[in-house]
Amino acid sequence: MNIEETSELVLQFQKRGGILPVAVQEYSTGQILMLASVNQEALEYSVKFRIAAFYSTSRKKLWVKGESSGNQLRVEKILIDCDQDALVYQVTILGGGVCHTFNKEGNNRKACFYRSLDFDEMKLQFLEK
Amino acid sequence: MNIEETSELVLQFQKRGGILPVAVQEYSTGQILMLASVNQEALEYSVKFRIAAFYSTSRKKLWVKGESSGNQLRVEKILIDCDQDALVYQVTILGGGVCHTFNKEGNNRKACFYRSLDFDEMKLQFLEK
């Protein structure tokens, strides 16, 4: 089967030890909130409940985002790449921010990508005002 | 050092065997074009030349995107996540599309994410008209 041109879902989990990368993108704005990993179980959970779930590479188990914090993500769309070995979750933030870190107001930061690289200094700049 | 709140660049390459995931996002639109990997060499190339370079996990070497096809990506910004183990390249497409596959017009598809998952059928739908 030509996995690039088919409408069959044949995710290539076996290529990468059962785990594929996923970019989590806010559906309404296009902002990238975080990068994570999924296995078959996490994908099935996300499809069934429309709540973003991942595979925690540190805890080595299913990670339903926001299960303890309440900061869940509603899955609006899932995109699959040409090689069927990478995904995008397009989501709506249901609770507070996605990141476990906090901004100056004491709220979870919206996205994990809150710093950009200063090419001249090779230092990080905080994007928040 | 608290890597989450510092402006020091201390990418955690050692956490993941020298390779970190990167989401490649079109700077002007926010569209996610592809997911890839970077090592130290690829990041340094991308910063020095402002042309997106990756680490090819299949060929196990530096992959300067578009070096042979001409479909290069100009690096506008690089974002780093809280844990300093994931990146976003925000880019401008200099040549044709990013993907190695072709659309019906015979051009490289703009993004590798040209299919979405139909949750009811568990099949892929082509996003292109």
Side-chain angles (χ1 to χ4, degrees), chain B residues 13-124:
Chain B
F13 283 114
Q14 81 288 355
K15 258 176 77 172
R16 304 193 187 276
I19 301 168
L20 297 178
V22 56
V24 182
Q25 180 180 40
E26 189 176 39
Y27 184 59
S28 62
T29 67
Q31 184 177 357
I32 298 178
L33 303 172
M34 58 186 284
L35 298 192
S37 301
V38 289
N39 61 0
Q40 182 73 40
E41 181 188 19
L43 178 67
E44 285 175 2
Y45 187 102
S46 303
V47 167
K48 183 172 182 185
F49 297 107
R50 305 284 172 87
I51 294 292
F54 307 104
Y55 177 77
S56 168
T57 56
S58 55
R59 284 171 283 153
K60 301 191 190 309
K61 56 179 252 195
L62 184 72
W63 167 32
V64 180
K65 175 74 182 155
E67 201 169 35
S68 52
S69 68
N71 296 332
Q72 293 188 312
L73 301 172
R74 187 173 68 221
V75 175
E76 306 289 356
K77 284 191 181 177
I78 294 177
L79 308 182
I80 312 289
D81 84 336
C82 47
D83 298 327
Q84 299 213 29
D85 65 356
L87 300 90
V88 171
Y89 280 4
Q90 293 184 328
V91 303
T92 299
I93 296 173
L94 295 180
V98 160
C99 190
H100 71 285
T101 68
F102 297 97
N103 61 19
K104 285 176 188 154
E105 287 74 43
N107 300 316
N108 284 97
R109 288 192 176 101
K110 178 180 176 184
C112 295
F113 293 98
Y114 51 84
R115 290 173 294 187
S116 71
L117 182 59
D118 178 323
F119 294 128
D120 297 321
E121 302 281 342
M122 287 304 278
K123 293 215 168 204
L124 301 177

Side-chain angles (χ1 to χ4, degrees), chain A residues 43-61:
Chain A
L43 178 67
E44 285 175 3
Y45 187 102
S46 303
V47 168
K48 183 172 179 184
F49 298 106
R50 304 284 172 86
I51 293 292
F54 307 104
Y55 177 78
S56 168
T57 56
S58 55
R59 285 172 283 153
K60 302 193 191 305
K61 56 179 251 193

Side-chain angles (χ1 to χ4, degrees), chain A residues 9 11 13 37-56 61-68 70-78 87 89 91 94, chain B residues 117 119 122:
Chain A
L9 180 68
L11 286 167
F13 283 112
S37 301
V38 290
N39 61 0
Q40 182 74 39
E41 182 188 19
L43 178 67
E44 285 175 3
Y45 187 102
S46 303
V47 168
K48 183 172 179 184
F49 298 106
R50 304 284 172 86
I51 293 292
F54 307 104
Y55 177 78
S56 168
K61 56 179 251 193
L62 183 72
W63 168 32
V64 179
K65 175 73 183 157
E67 201 169 34
S68 53
N71 295 332
Q72 293 189 311
L73 301 172
R74 188 172 68 222
V75 175
E76 306 289 355
K77 282 191 183 178
I78 295 178
L87 299 90
Y89 281 4
V91 304
L94 296 180
Chain B
L117 182 59
F119 294 128
M122 287 304 278

